[in-house]
Amino acid sequence: IQKVPLSVAVLQSSTLAAAGVSTTVNLQVVTTNVQIGSTNNQPQVYIRGMGSNNLSAGAEAPVGLYQDGVYIPFAYSIDQSFIDVQRVEILKGPQGTLYGRNTTAGAINFITRDPSAGRSVEGRMTLGTWGNQEAQVYAATGPGRVSAYIAADVTHHDPYMHNLGTGPDYNDRKQYGVRGKVKVEITDGWNAILS
């Protein structure tokens, strides 16, 4: 942050949890100049008014999306829960030189936790209107030089719009996700991480 002469917002998991932010779409609640909407269940990200509403196959937005520093070409991949996210870094553009192509509006980097020694289990459950049900679980173990975690998320809610004609209802959600990491300490200064 000291070397980059741009606006960077770093949101720790504790800040996100305190604000009730559990999904990517809610990031706009805790930082300025970021708007994340959804059309046809595809997130549309705008930073400082720059973004794209192009939903065609293969279209890439001008906001670069990264997970643990690895480029994510499709916005569908960021529609995720935050149970294993350590922090979110938002680099507010406009620029494109620090992160390469497709970052003229800026970049969002989701940093997930690394497995640590010891065992831990965390869970979160949310119930709400419209049949909203969300369950998240995080389990980690780490005896010796090998540690691992697995995180899972299940989200369901009823349709928000009922089609009174012959078509289907709209804006319902049935989402399932699993993510994990395995970390091997080769020596004191060298680690191998499989994500």
Side-chain angles (χ1 to χ4, degrees):
I1 291 176
Q2 293 176 349
K3 295 180 181 179
V4 178
L6 296 168
S7 174
V8 179
V10 179
L11 307 168
Q12 299 292 339
S13 60
S14 57
T15 303
L16 298 171
V21 175
S22 62
T23 63
T24 305
V25 175
N26 299 123
L27 280 176
Q28 59 195 357
V29 174
V30 290
T31 187
T32 59
N33 295 317
V34 174
Q35 296 83 35
I36 302 175
S38 180
T39 302
N40 296 332
N41 290 326
Q42 177 174 346
Q44 293 179 306
V45 184
Y46 289 81
I47 296 178
R48 292 184 172 167
M50 295 181 65
S52 175
N53 62 358
N54 187 353
L55 300 178
S56 61
E60 296 180 0
V63 176
L65 304 171
Y66 298 83
Q67 182 171 317
D68 295 325
V70 177
Y71 179 65
I72 301 172
F74 305 112
Y76 288 109
S77 303
I78 68 159
D79 192 10
Q80 57 183 299
S81 66
F82 286 136
I83 192 140
D84 66 335
V85 170
Q86 179 182 1
R87 69 183 182 276
V88 178
E89 302 169 346
I90 302 173
L91 181 96
K92 298 175 183 178
Q95 59 78 40
T97 57
L98 291 175
Y99 282 92
R101 61 176 268 180
N102 298 330
T103 60
T104 52
I108 300 177
N109 190 10
F110 300 92
I111 308 294
T112 58
R113 303 188 223 182
D114 280 343
S116 58
R119 295 184 177 146
S120 65
V121 176
E122 296 176 33
R124 201 173 8 202
M125 184 156 197
T126 305
L127 300 172
T129 58
W130 296 95
N132 184 36
Q133 305 168 6
E134 183 174 8
Q136 299 171 332
V137 65
Y138 172 90
T141 184
R145 292 191 170 267
V146 178
S147 55
Y149 82 75
I150 188 164
D153 173 69
V154 177
T155 304
H156 290 240
H157 67 67
D158 296 336
Y160 294 145
M161 296 170 35
H162 294 289
N163 186 343
L164 300 177
T166 59
D169 293 333
Y170 298 105
N171 291 331
D172 62 330
R173 174 170 267 190
K174 291 175 180 60
Q175 177 178 317
Y176 309 91
V178 176
R179 186 165 47 208
K181 277 187 182 180
V182 176
K183 178 179 177 182
V184 179
E185 291 185 33
I186 300 168
T187 65
D188 289 339
W190 290 85
N191 298 322
I193 297 176
L194 175 64
S195 175

